[in-house]
Amino acid sequence: MKFIYRHLAFGLALVLGLVGGGSPRGAAAGPDDVPLIPRVKFFGNPEKMRARLSPDGKRLAFVAPVEGVLNVWVSPNDDPAKAKPVTFDKHRGVVSYSWAYTNHHLLYTQDKNGDEDDHVYAVNLDSGEIKDLTPIAKIAAQIEGVSEKFPEEILVGINDRGERQFHDIYRVNIVSGEKKLLQENPGLAGFLTDDDYRVRFASNITPDAGQELLKPAPGGKWEPMIKIGPLDSMTTSPAGFDKTGEHLYFIDSRDRNTSALTTIDLATGKQTLIAEDPRADIGGALTHPTEKNIQAVSFTYDRTQWKIIDPAIKADLDFLKTVADGDIQVTGRTLDDKRWTVAYIMDNGPVRFYIYDRDPKPKATFLFTSQPELEKLPLVKMHPQLIKSRDGLELVSYLTLPKWTDPDGDGRPNQPVPMVLNVHGGPWARDDWGYDLEHQLLANRGYAVLAVNYRGSTGLGKDFLNKAQREWAGKMHDDLIDAVNWAVEQKIAQKDKVCIMGGSYGGYATLVGLTFTPDVFACGVDIVGPSSLITLLNNVPPYWIPMMPVMKLRVGDWTTDEGRKFLESRSPLKFVEKIKRPLLIGQGANDPRVKQPEADQIVKAMTEKKIPVTYVLFHDEGHGFARPENRLAFYAIEEAFLAKNLGGRFEPIGDAFAGADFSIPSGKDGVPGLAEALTKK
């Protein structure tokens, strides 16, 4: 579950869009004219991804497989063909990394089998040494800051004291591994540091689920500077400093609906607006790598739009628009700002990566696409849709259709088709436009796919977000039902052939769908979804404790009799007897957020009531399925399950279980070919 307040570390999430090229669209008369795409094309490893130049622009890093497992590669220049692997993980892979300002080190975090007990690692590109900078058991370390002023040092948050609820901040030398305590955490949610590695501010969550921005006070204490009420607490936060350190960038939804980007003069307190949009919160920003001034800001309603703040980069963005179609993501900039790495994303093709040289004449050099084979496949478009809820909200949604059902590409099938309602997790997250492997796989199998930003989804203003308060299984679910009814009325979906599926909160929504509205859906697929809100909230990771007032306000109070009664009324586990349609559950045994008992207890209750359920338990996964072998195995089961209950086509399971680590505690006979495939596992 992507709970946004995991540790309430400061900072603007610079969510910039990716993009890719697409395959040409052609009319097709029927499913026989569109080949069944092997699922490995969707769920196997990308060939290359996440290209980043070193700060000096002399080396290129990216992620690519090593013996079937994703690792980081580095080339001595910007030629991918000359790259060699520098990490050598053999199990879950290294998929996220960053450059250190030494230009000779890479940084990454990694847990063990999905337990989210992350350690921070540094790779010495000259010696090949990989150093664990946080060699402490049972911690969830996080990188808190990097600065070009201290190339060999980074700031790391480590929660190794007491009950491990709070992260202290250390200065860590990435060459020697030596660490020095910079700030002990007296019980606060997080800290804000600057490029000089000074702890400037702290934050805390108030008992009413608001926030306080705190400033240092005499005697090592902290005193309030800015108070943020609970209705603004998820859409208002500090976002870093300008070059002088005298101006604070501040995302602010107070006295407005959508969050705007502002700056606060710390000497006078004067606040100045930089950019805002009436429909969407600020989504991302481009900041000069050394001057630290905001140059462009993005907003995403249905598609991402950029607003230029600094005219100095207008020509750059204008040029980049001519390089490839789709949405632009600037993934990195060298310290001298002469070279950028840029990615492009489209809805029907792979991510395309380029190096952009600004001087003396703008030039974009193509590097690679993430999955070249996707360019040869009959992929389809994703159509933004605006759906009205029963109480008048505008639900930004995305519809994907089987290729043969929409030959004119207008986003409407020539006749109603089976549909999958794909519910995003969070719930404080959102669906976006772009390439989505689940949408593409399901559309290829013959299903319309609808993704809905129900109330509580982020990025669409605080009013939309706050209308979800204590509405789990309430109005949040009504929005999903309204979207299904819309799809039926628009003759997109067959009324009796709609499946609800999703992960995390989306898994919970699936269980709600089958218990609270048992006649609406033909089947459900729950991936790591909680079945009881009481057991969920009673078993959170220790570092979630500081943000639990937020859960109490927005989900419910598990500490009182009245609160528990309410949470029981919104928990699918209490309504198991209402399930009348087939259910498939996927769970990670090491999930620290939605723990295995959430799946175990609903499967047990269904089994006791003789209600069929197929339960797939992955032994080396956490909150979601990271290993390609496990993903392939689950989706092989899923598409066979959907074919049985919705009537679409599917690729037989075959040898899809090779290398996967899972068991089937219940329901192996509920999916075509599953029992037979298990005998070959």
Side-chain angles (χ1 to χ4, degrees):
M1 198 167 285
K2 290 182 184 176
F3 293 118
I4 197 169
Y5 282 90
R6 174 181 172 187
H7 52 75
L8 259 176
F10 285 118
L12 170 61
L14 302 182
V15 184
L16 317 176
L18 290 174
V19 312
S23 55
R25 182 183 185 86
D32 291 342
D33 297 296
V34 178
L36 190 77
I37 300 173
R39 61 182 157 264
V40 70
K41 302 289 187 182
F42 298 115
F43 295 102
N45 281 322
E47 184 174 294
K48 298 183 184 73
M49 67 177 187
R50 297 184 178 172
R52 305 286 188 273
L53 282 169
S54 57
D56 62 6
K58 296 179 179 179
R59 296 187 183 187
L60 175 71
F62 56 86
V63 173
V66 177
E67 297 180 357
V69 179
L70 290 174
N71 278 279
V72 183
W73 296 56
V74 175
S75 71
N77 50 29
D78 52 22
D79 183 358
K82 296 180 180 178
K84 295 181 180 180
V86 297
T87 67
F88 303 92
D89 188 84
K90 298 185 181 302
H91 189 52
R92 292 173 61 82
V94 180
V95 296
S96 181
Y97 72 94
S98 60
W99 280 97
Y101 281 106
T102 62
N103 297 297
H104 296 271
H105 294 81
L106 289 174
L107 306 169
Y108 68 92
T109 60
Q110 190 173 42
D111 68 358
K112 184 177 181 180
N113 291 332
D115 62 8
E116 298 187 14
D117 288 346
D118 288 316
H119 286 215
V120 178
Y121 296 86
V123 183
N124 186 318
L125 300 179
D126 297 329
S127 68
E129 179 190 14
I130 300 176
K131 184 183 296 292
D132 184 353
L133 300 176
T134 54
I136 309 165
K138 298 294 182 181
I139 61 168
Q142 55 206 25
I143 297 175
E144 297 278 3
V146 293
S147 172
E148 69 274 15
K149 296 181 180 180
F150 307 98
E152 293 188 352
E153 291 184 314
I154 62 173
L155 299 184
V156 177
I158 302 176
N159 61 327
D160 62 340
R161 289 188 298 111
E163 296 181 353
R164 303 175 188 269
Q165 295 181 15
F166 305 105
H167 286 76
D168 302 323
I169 298 183
Y170 288 84
R171 290 182 72 147
V172 180
N173 188 294
I174 63 176
V175 179
S176 67
E178 179 184 1
K179 70 178 190 296
K180 297 179 181 178
L181 181 66
L182 177 65
Q183 176 69 58
E184 184 173 287
N185 191 332
L188 302 174
F191 299 97
L192 182 65
T193 59
D194 62 18
D195 285 340
D196 291 314
Y197 287 170
R198 296 177 296 170
V199 179
R200 302 288 301 277
F201 300 106
S203 78
N204 211 13
I205 299 176
T206 57
D208 66 351
Q211 283 192 64
E212 284 185 322
L213 183 64
L214 308 170
K215 61 182 179 181
K221 298 184 181 298
W222 297 87
E223 62 184 19
M225 174 183 169
I226 297 175
K227 291 189 176 182
I228 303 166
L231 297 183
D232 289 290
S233 63
M234 296 183 76
T235 46
T236 301
S237 65
F241 299 93
D242 71 349
K243 185 177 181 179
T244 68
E246 298 173 358
H247 294 83
L248 174 69
Y249 293 123
F250 198 73
I251 301 171
D252 202 342
S253 66
R254 297 172 301 168
D255 301 321
R256 52 167 54 88
N257 175 33
T258 56
S259 60
L261 181 61
T262 70
T263 183
I264 298 176
D265 186 320
L266 295 175
T268 66
K270 181 181 178 182
Q271 187 170 7
T272 304
L273 177 68
I274 296 177
E276 65 178 336
D277 185 278
R279 298 195 305 169
D281 300 324
I282 176 175
L286 291 178
T287 306
H288 191 280
T290 55
E291 296 303 310
K292 309 299 182 183
N293 61 303
I294 303 293
Q295 297 185 294
V297 176
S298 72
F299 300 92
T300 302
Y301 188 65
D302 56 349
R303 293 281 302 273
T304 297
Q305 302 291 331
W306 283 94
K307 180 176 182 179
I308 295 173
I309 307 300
D310 182 356
I313 67 165
K314 182 179 186 304
D316 299 294
L317 292 180
D318 287 345
F319 174 80
L320 290 174
K321 290 177 183 178
T322 69
V323 174
D325 292 332
D327 293 342
I328 299 170
Q329 178 188 19
V330 178
T331 65
R333 298 163 73 167
T334 58
L335 275 177
D336 62 12
D337 205 27
K338 293 182 178 180
R339 312 191 82 197
W340 298 1
T341 45
V342 182
Y344 292 81
I345 194 169
M346 294 225 3
D347 50 354
N348 61 349
V351 182
R352 299 180 64 86
F353 293 92
Y354 291 79
I355 289 178
Y356 170 53
D357 289 284
R358 301 181 70 200
D359 298 319
K361 181 180 180 181
K363 176 185 177 183
T365 303
F366 175 73
L367 290 173
F368 48 75
T369 62
S370 59
Q371 293 171 280
E373 291 190 3
L374 292 182
E375 298 175 312
K376 307 170 187 176
L377 302 178
L379 303 182
V380 290
K381 301 290 290 182
M382 177 182 280
H383 302 275
Q385 307 288 323
L386 301 179
I387 301 172
K388 285 287 186 182
S389 71
R390 65 190 68 183
D391 57 353
L393 294 184
E394 197 165 72
L395 309 176
V396 178
S397 306
Y398 302 94
L399 175 67
T400 305
L401 295 171
K403 192 174 185 70
W404 62 88
T405 70
D406 184 22
D408 60 2
D410 67 348
R412 293 294 182 271
N414 43 31
Q415 62 183 19
V417 296
M419 188 179 83
V420 174
L421 179 69
N422 198 352
V423 186
H424 72 70
W428 305 304
R430 65 161 293 168
D431 281 310
D432 292 292
W433 178 91
Y435 174 78
D436 185 291
L437 55 86
E438 285 186 322
H439 279 238
Q440 295 292 343
L441 172 74
L442 295 171
N444 181 259
R445 278 19 179 188
Y447 311 116
V449 188
L450 182 63
V452 181
N453 283 308
Y454 48 86
R455 71 190 68 204
S457 301
T458 54
L460 300 168
K462 71 181 182 187
D463 292 346
F464 191 80
L465 183 74
N466 291 327
K467 285 184 184 298
Q469 186 170 302
R470 300 199 183 196
E471 291 294 346
W472 289 40
K475 292 180 181 179
M476 295 166 76
H477 188 63
D478 290 344
D479 291 345
L480 300 177
I481 298 301
D482 292 345
V484 171
N485 291 336
W486 170 87
V488 172
E489 292 166 2
Q490 293 287 315
K491 301 187 184 308
I492 293 167
Q494 292 178 240
K495 185 175 182 179
D496 61 343
K497 289 189 176 182
V498 177
C499 175
I500 182 170
M501 67 176 286
S504 194
Y505 178 87
Y508 165 81
T510 294
L511 299 179
V512 170
L514 296 192
T515 52
F516 285 66
T517 51
D519 295 316
V520 173
F521 299 103
C523 60
V525 180
D526 155 32
I527 303 172
V528 299
S531 59
S532 166
L533 297 183
I534 294 177
T535 55
L536 171 75
L537 296 171
N538 272 326
N539 292 281
V540 299
Y543 45 82
W544 279 24
I545 300 300
M547 50 75 65
M548 293 311 285
V550 176
M551 304 300 292
K552 189 174 291 187
L553 172 72
R554 297 187 177 274
V555 184
D557 188 349
W558 63 98
T559 66
T560 67
D561 290 340
E562 182 181 359
R564 285 189 292 271
K565 185 177 180 180
F566 170 76
L567 290 170
E568 283 186 350
S569 75
R570 300 297 177 90
S571 295
L573 182 63
K574 294 297 180 179
F575 305 97
V576 164
E577 70 279 356
K578 294 186 177 182
I579 298 177
K580 59 175 73 171
R581 302 293 166 79
L583 173 62
L584 170 64
I585 295 177
Q587 177 68 40
N590 304 312
D591 192 338
R593 310 187 196 189
V594 180
K595 294 181 170 64
Q596 182 182 330
E598 292 296 324
D600 290 348
Q601 63 194 5
I602 196 166
V603 169
K604 182 176 183 289
M606 292 178 68
T607 302
E608 289 175 350
K609 295 182 182 297
K610 296 182 171 24
I611 302 173
V613 57
T614 300
Y615 178 21
V616 188
L617 177 65
F618 290 91
H619 306 137
D620 58 350
E621 294 286 4
H623 197 62
F625 311 142
R627 293 184 59 230
E629 295 88 348
N630 291 335
R631 293 200 304 270
L632 281 168
F634 185 77
Y635 282 97
I637 297 170
E638 179 190 276
E639 64 170 303
F641 172 83
L642 293 176
K644 177 181 178 180
N645 295 291
L646 296 184
R649 58 188 191 170
F650 73 103
E651 179 185 0
I653 293 175
D655 61 355
F657 296 165
D661 185 4
F662 70 95
S663 58
I664 308 289
S666 176
K668 66 180 180 181
D669 295 321
V671 176
L674 176 55
E676 179 184 357
L678 288 171
T679 65
K680 303 175 183 178
K681 183 173 178 289

